[in-house]
Every structure is written in structure tokens, then in C-alpha cells.
Amino acid sequence: MTGLSDKRESIWAISSRTVVFGAVGAALYAVLGLFSFPIPGTQNVTVRPAIALVPFFGIRFGVVAGFFTGFLGNTLIDIIQGYGLTYWNWSVANGLVGAIAALLWALLPRFGNDAVRLVAAGLTAVVANAIGLLFVITDMPIQGISFSTFLTVNYAPALLANSIAMIILVPALDAIWEPLARRTGR
Amino acid sequence: MDVTPRYLGAGSFLSRRDPRVLLLVPVLYLVAVAGVDDLRGVLACAVFALAYYRAAEIPWRGVRANWAFMITFVSLLVLVNTVLTDAETRSGGETLFTVPLTGTDVTPGTLSYALTLLVRYVSLAMVSFPVAFNIAPSDLGVAFARLGLSHRLAYGVDLTFRFLPSTVASLRGTIDAQRVRGFEHSRSRDPVRRLLSLRPVIIPVTVNALLDAEDTANAMDLRGFGTAKRRTWMRELAFDRTDYLIIAIFSLLAAVMTTAKITGLTGTVWVPFT
């Protein structure tokens, strides 16, 4: 049986599905994003499992849904926690992770083997995370921090924490969603 | 678990403004203060931020935890980066003391720059908090649409807020159902084990939400969502004279500070008592 999910629609499409899935992704990210726990032995590195939703929505539903999930989801968390737009650049970085995951996934060939697809999805998420989070370099002019501070305090801890969540949860989500997507004709 | 945005500033001067004003002011303020190293310049900007924040009339009791976290975090960041270590420090004037272990010489210029960063960040929070507490969530979609965002995506913003309560309900239901099956959230210190233990919650909640989303998307398609080039909104937004005045004030502030930056007036650290 040919996977119906192989029939990829444009990754840039803004259809009702893109809007709805983006909105669902953002709401899920906002709600599940309230779960987080620290990595022992580090000072301020917390793993937020819901970050895995961002590249997953990008990979599955395109650039717009991926960006929407990351950007609006993170903004919502900030709004719920009461910080408004103070950390707007982190929201943009989260959005970029979703958008870049979609772009990278579109460049990859279609995978016939499920195991290979899952590994590729996990790695795509990690690479998208590494590229998208670079946007927080804007903390340098905004907060007046140095490059080394950006790297050691902001970027590297977030990269590490997000990558752990993504490498575990993105393949798990994709493995469950793939058969359902085929069944629903997505 | 409460994920409802808190509308704490209802009825205040800022809440009566067009929500686009509350979205534009933080952007203009950021343009004004970014890259300003002179404490006097940042303090001048902070006066505008303080007046703006007071107009939001956000009850202190509702936000003191937010402020406590914000000020603690920023103070630590500034202290470590500019005073205790020389990661991002500035000098100027005679050495007041030398930090033991790191050997960083602390001068009046160092302290002035540290204070500049602290004031910059706290004042940015002052103009950003009203976005969280003075905009009714139902106004965000139309506000973004009127700022030029695609009306489909703007509707997506509205939709996200509508999905929040059902997502929370689904999460609660899933946790209860999994507990009946023996699920218990891991208290292990191993992050991988804790992540794996969350899979029985995250995956069903996500998949259920996606399946429900199919129905919502089909319903929207059946109603012809997105076929019209323009979309009307229940809430009509229009700037009044006060809105224009606020935007003009912050635009002017951004223009003056940008000019000062370009001409080099605020690019150096102000060293007091010299």
C-alpha cells in the first residue's frame, strides 16, 4: 500500500487545515509546555517535553503550521505566565525551529522504511532546533550580553535540553501519527 | 492547571486603547533602548515605560511573582556578566575594588553599565507586561489582522485561544485514564527516563487533538473558510486620538534614541563622578 502521506501538499500552503493544525499545535504546546523539569547537574537547563511538538508539526503539516505552533505556542506560554512580549525573540526562535524542520523534511527523499523515517524525523528535528535557536543571538543587542554568554548561558543549554526531548518524542509522535494519517487520508 | 490568560488590567486606561497600540509600543520601545550604553539615555526611556506601565493599572498582587522572577533572573545575569566576571563588562574611572577569584576590576563605569542593562531589561518588561494583562484574548486575532497579518492566520490566533480549554480538559482526562491503567509520573532524576514516562500522556493528547482538528478543518471547509479575500470581524477596531498620541510619543522616542545612537551620543558608558 502506498502511504497517502507521501502525497505532500505544498509546505507553504495556508489552507484551513494549516490554520487549524497550527492552532491545535500552538494550544498543545502552550498546555503541555507547562510541564518541565531540570537536568541534574546543570544550573538552569530545563527540559520542556512539549518542544518536540514544534518540529513534529512542521514536518507533518508544513512551514506555516510549524512556525505557528512554535511562535504562538511559546508566546502563549509567556502570556499565561505573565511575561507578555518580553521574550519575543525566543518565540520567533521556536517558530523558526518548526519552519526549518518543515523545510529540511521537504528536502529529504521519501522513506520506504519506517525505522529510517523515524530516525530521519528525529535528526531533522535536532538540526532544525540547532539552526532555529540561533535566532536568540538577538539577545546580544537586546540584553547587552556577550557572544560567550549567549553561547554558554542561552544557546547551548536550550539546544541540549530541546534535543533530548526531540530525539525521544518526535519519532514516537510520528510513529503513532503515520498510520492514522494514512487512515484519514492525510 | 490554569492556562487561561489573566486579564488583570480590565477597565484601565490601556485596556480602553486599541489593542494594536499595546502590540506596537513594545516594538517601538525596543528600537529606542536597544544598543544604548549610556545610563542617562536608558533612564530617560524608562520614565516613559514607567508612565505607560502605570496606565495599565495591573494589580501588584497579581504580578508580584512575575516581577520577583524577572528581577532576580535579570539581576543575576547582569551581576555575573558585568560585575563578577568580565564576560560583558565596561570600564571607566578608577578601580573601586577587585573581585576575588575572577580578578575583575570594578570601576564606576562597570557599575554604570550594569545598571544600564538592568534598567533596560526591567523597562522592557514594563511595556511588555500589558500585552499579557491588558489585551482581551478575543481581541488578539483581529488586532493581528488589522496589523497586516493574513486573515487566515489571524483567525488561527483566535482559534488557538478557543482550543486551550478543550486541550486542558483532554489532558486531564488522559492523565486520569492513564492513572487507572497504572501510569505514574516518574520522579527519577534521569531526564530521559522522565521523558519516556511522559509519553503515555503527551502522545494520546496530541493524537486526539489532531483527530479532532480534522473535524474542525472539514467544518471550516464546508463553510467556505478562506474563499473570500476579505474577512469581517465581530470586533471593529479603530484608532482614536489618544491611540495616535501614544504611538506618536513612542515613535518620537524611538526616532530620537536612534538618532542619538547613530550620532554616538549614547554609545558610550556614562561614568559618574568624573
Side-chain angles (χ1 to χ4, degrees):
Chain A
M1 184 174 110
T2 305
L4 290 173
S5 60
D6 287 350
K7 292 192 293 180
R8 295 174 183 180
E9 63 180 12
S10 166
I11 55 169
W12 299 100
I14 308 180
S15 62
S16 56
R17 290 188 185 281
T18 318
V19 170
V20 173
F21 283 115
V24 166
L28 278 167
Y29 185 32
V31 172
L32 296 171
L34 299 175
F35 287 112
S36 64
F37 48 86
I39 297 179
T42 60
Q43 286 187 330
N44 61 347
V45 185
T46 55
V47 177
R48 188 188 278 178
I51 187 69
L53 292 168
V54 178
F56 170 70
F57 273 78
I59 286 169
R60 278 292 168 177
F61 307 111
V63 173
V64 177
F67 185 84
F68 205 83
T69 299
F71 176 73
L72 195 60
N74 199 68
T75 304
L76 264 179
I77 293 173
D78 283 349
I79 287 178
I80 290 166
Q81 293 182 336
Y83 301 111
L85 293 180
T86 311
Y87 305 112
W88 62 273
N89 54 335
W90 283 85
S91 297
V92 174
N94 273 256
L96 288 175
V97 170
I100 292 166
L103 290 170
L104 292 175
W105 191 252
L107 294 174
L108 293 174
R110 294 167 186 175
F111 299 102
N113 185 311
D114 279 351
V116 176
R117 193 193 76 246
L118 296 180
V119 171
L123 292 176
T124 301
V126 171
V127 174
N129 181 44
I131 300 171
L133 279 184
L134 283 173
F135 189 79
V136 294
I137 201 166
T138 47
D139 272 345
M140 284 174 64
I142 296 170
Q143 290 187 12
I145 59 172
S146 64
F147 182 75
S148 64
T149 307
F150 150 74
L151 205 62
T152 54
V153 178
N154 292 358
Y155 181 74
L159 181 68
L160 171 72
N162 289 357
S163 297
I164 293 172
M166 286 173 183
I167 207 75
I168 291 172
L169 291 176
V170 171
L173 285 165
D174 202 63
I176 301 291
W177 181 243
E178 172 68 12
L180 291 168
R182 288 183 183 181
R183 199 185 73 192
T184 55
R186 295 289 302 132
Chain B
M1 179 187 293
D2 185 10
V3 296
T4 318
R6 294 179 297 160
Y7 188 40
L8 297 177
S12 65
F13 174 79
L14 278 193
S15 292
R16 294 197 302 274
R17 304 277 63 82
D18 186 309
R20 287 173 291 180
V21 174
L22 278 72
L23 292 172
L24 289 173
V25 164
V27 178
L28 293 169
Y29 190 78
L30 179 64
V31 172
V33 294
V36 175
D37 286 353
D38 191 313
L39 178 61
R40 293 166 299 180
V42 176
L43 281 174
C45 292
V47 171
F48 288 88
L50 183 62
Y52 182 79
Y53 183 73
R54 285 185 65 83
E57 296 174 35
I58 302 168
W60 170 247
R61 187 181 296 176
V63 291
R64 61 186 171 196
N66 300 83
W67 276 115
F69 173 81
M70 163 75 65
I71 290 173
T72 307
F73 178 73
V74 175
S75 301
L76 280 174
L77 194 73
V78 169
L79 200 66
V80 170
N81 283 312
T82 59
V83 181
L84 298 182
T85 68
D86 57 359
E88 182 60 16
T89 195
R90 300 283 194 280
S91 57
E94 290 182 7
T95 301
L96 298 173
F97 60 92
T98 302
V99 179
L101 298 176
T102 60
T104 310
D105 290 331
V106 176
T107 64
T110 311
L111 298 177
S112 171
Y113 184 64
L115 204 56
T116 304
L117 292 184
L118 190 66
V119 173
R120 183 197 296 176
Y121 215 77
V122 169
S123 62
L124 266 171
M126 282 180 189
V127 294
S128 297
F129 274 30
V131 175
F133 299 118
N134 291 73
I135 300 181
S138 56
D139 285 350
L140 271 175
V142 60
F144 279 118
R146 292 288 181 267
L147 283 172
L149 186 71
S150 147
H151 68 85
R152 295 183 192 196
L153 293 180
Y155 182 73
V157 175
D158 266 358
L159 210 52
T160 304
F161 281 100
R162 291 182 205 179
F163 281 138
L164 278 178
S166 57
T167 307
V168 173
S170 171
L171 177 65
R172 285 198 182 118
T174 305
I175 290 174
D176 289 345
Q178 297 291 43
R179 277 189 177 149
V180 170
R181 295 177 177 90
F183 166 77
E184 202 54 58
H185 181 49
S186 171
R187 298 281 169 211
S188 164
R189 285 172 58 83
D190 179 356
V192 174
R193 184 168 292 177
R194 289 185 78 161
L195 269 170
L196 289 171
S197 81
L198 278 173
R199 281 194 310 182
V201 172
I202 290 177
I203 290 172
V205 171
T206 305
V207 170
N208 283 335
L210 290 175
L211 293 175
D212 290 344
E214 288 282 353
D215 294 338
T216 309
N218 287 337
M220 286 166 62
D221 280 341
L222 285 169
R223 288 166 177 78
F225 173 78
T227 49
K229 280 199 168 181
R230 285 186 61 83
R231 178 190 155 84
T232 55
W233 300 78
M234 286 290 286
R235 172 95 151 90
E236 284 291 331
L237 296 182
F239 286 125
D240 62 19
R241 201 175 292 175
T242 314
D243 295 331
Y244 282 121
L245 184 65
I246 294 171
I247 291 175
I249 289 170
F250 278 90
S251 299
L252 191 65
L253 182 68
V256 168
M257 293 307 291
T258 305
T259 309
K261 269 177 268 181
I262 293 169
T263 53
L265 287 173
T266 57
T268 49
V269 176
W270 175 59
V271 183
F273 316 119
T274 54

